[in-house]
Amino acid sequence: MPQENHKTDEKGRRTPTIHNQACNGDIAPVVLMPGDPVRAEYIACRYLDGARLVSNVRRICAYTGSYRGKPVSVMASGMGAGSMGIYSHELYDCYGVEQIIRVGSAGGLSPQLSLGDVVIGLASSTDSGYADHLKLPGTLAPCADFGLINRTVAAARELSVPVKVGMLFSGAAFHYGQDVFEAWRDIGALAVEMESAALYTNAARLGKKAVALCTISDMIFTEEHLSPEEREVSFGNMIRMALEAAVSQEIDGRV
């Protein structure tokens, strides 16, 4: 395997991290982050004008283009807190990204949800030890940025997309016993996914903004799931909602 290293572009600019081929200025201040690299490519090609590939290290692709005339990037996060932790931290800390909107899937826990609904993660509870390295004198409760929540809710209303706002359970694992899911449902978690806690923790640590939007692709307790055709429609609603929120006001995120 070739050794990963910092690279330079044709202008001699050095990449700030070994995990990303993009140079400074190649990534927009606002980034949409799906987990799946294929979905990142799909979003860029389907929704962004003038999208260009700016990084493809380890096949974790990143694209930059524009939406309604404003610069937007889309980059995959991979699965789980570890992968999201690396990529979101470096986007914030090395590339000057101010806002990250996660666009992913989740398993529905709450009986209030239906397949295809979008959950906006107000807060993210986790069994992960991701925040342990911060050595805080207590337990961190990572949450989304209020301005981004307002903007995504407003976009959902404009697009007539059904949404719920509430707590996510961001699991360290994928396969759990039903007792774990029942416990998180009973304490008020709407849905389960794997990335939002790391994203929100990085945003809090670095003074940045984040929100996680998750389409309910399956229901944990009934084993219902979206068909491929239904997934395309439902995920399209979420992506349009995220993009409208991304460009609905200046990037400083003031309400």
Side-chain angles (χ1 to χ4, degrees), residues 84 88 92 100-102 195-204 210-212:
M84 170 61 86
S88 62
Y92 285 139
I100 294 176
I101 302 175
R102 164 163 156 69
E195 291 79 33
S196 60
L199 173 61
Y200 289 5
T201 297
N202 282 348
V211 70

Side-chain angles (χ1 to χ4, degrees), residues 17 22 42 44 58 77 79 81 130 142 183 207 210 230 232-233 245 252:
T17 166
Y42 173 81
R58 296 183 177 222
S77 69
M79 289 192 294
Y130 183 78
E230 291 169 331
E232 183 173 354
V233 171
D252 63 13

Side-chain angles (χ1 to χ4, degrees), residues 3 18 32 46 56 79 89 104 122 139 149 159 163 178 191 201 205 220 232 242:
Q3 183 178 5
I18 62 172
L32 269 61
R46 177 75 178 270
N56 198 24
M79 289 192 294
H89 183 278
L122 175 67
T139 301
I149 291 175
L159 295 166
V163 297
Q178 289 291 92
T201 297
R205 179 188 179 193
I220 297 298
E232 183 173 354

Side-chain angles (χ1 to χ4, degrees), residues 54 76 103 110 138 159-160 188 191 195 223 235 238:
V54 295
V103 284
S110 170
L159 295 166
S160 299
E195 291 79 33
E223 299 185 357
F235 278 70
M238 174 182 61

